[in-house]
Amino acid sequence: MASSIIFVTLALVAAFVPASVMGTDFMVGDDKGWTLDFDFQTWAEGKQFYVGDNLVFKYSGGAHNVLKVNGTGFQQCAAPAGTVALTTGNDVIPLLTPGRKWYICGVAKHCAARNMKLAITVLPKTVSPAPAPTTPEVSAAGGTVAPGYYALIMAIVGVVAIVIV
């Protein structure tokens, strides 16, 4: 019984979580994928990458790879010793920290001669501020609750009460 209450409560909370809290998956190169002779810098222009987003590198396994490098490695198309190559052909890289990020293909001369490199800037995660409550509701504990959250809390309490009965 308790597990069903927890499940219902979590389902309700998940349903009300704003989409802005969840990250975006960016397919590098869109329908072209991670491939030769594609201008990845033009692809990245105008896109905003945030902490919590993912880069998805799709390519034929064995034909390419993905190496995370620093700015110098990006300019020289060379990965530092010990850099581990991603090679699945469906590599997902979570963007966990803000700042500049650089990626290259380490196969043959794919980076230097065939333009397989990508540099992006990852921005800190921003959450839209909630509008200031105009008339706060008073909670049972005597504190105040913003109206939107009050409705959510009451919905969850109502469902939990129904499940218990």
Side-chain angles (χ1 to χ4, degrees):
M1 177 62 97
S3 63
S4 63
I5 293 170
I6 293 170
F7 175 77
V8 170
T9 303
L10 290 175
L12 279 172
V13 171
F16 288 102
V17 171
S20 62
V21 173
M22 299 183 319
T24 300
D25 288 346
F26 288 94
M27 178 80 65
V28 176
D30 294 326
D31 60 339
K32 300 286 186 194
W34 184 236
T35 190
L36 299 169
D37 305 317
F38 185 85
D39 190 345
F40 292 101
Q41 292 318 117
T42 298
W43 170 84
E45 284 178 15
K47 292 179 175 58
Q48 291 189 329
F49 303 95
Y50 291 95
V51 169
D53 291 344
N54 295 306
L55 293 179
V56 181
F57 291 83
K58 287 205 179 267
Y59 55 92
S60 298
H64 305 294
N65 63 25
V66 180
L67 299 169
K68 183 176 181 182
V69 297
N70 60 23
T72 302
F74 180 81
Q75 292 299 325
Q76 297 174 355
C77 285
T83 302
V84 177
L86 303 176
T87 59
T88 68
N90 188 29
D91 303 319
V92 178
I93 298 177
L95 302 175
L96 302 175
T97 58
R100 293 290 288 164
K101 311 292 180 197
W102 300 272
Y103 305 94
I104 65 172
C105 178
V107 173
K109 297 282 184 186
H110 291 186
C111 176
R114 306 295 295 274
N115 204 36
M116 283 192 73
K117 58 185 186 175
L118 170 67
I120 63 169
T121 299
V122 179
L123 303 170
K125 185 172 211 65
T126 58
V127 177
S128 300
T134 54
T135 309
E137 300 290 333
V138 178
S139 72
T144 59
V145 180
Y149 292 111
Y150 180 75
L152 174 61
I153 292 167
M154 293 313 297
I156 292 170
V157 168
V159 170
V160 171
I162 292 170
V163 172
I164 291 174
V165 173

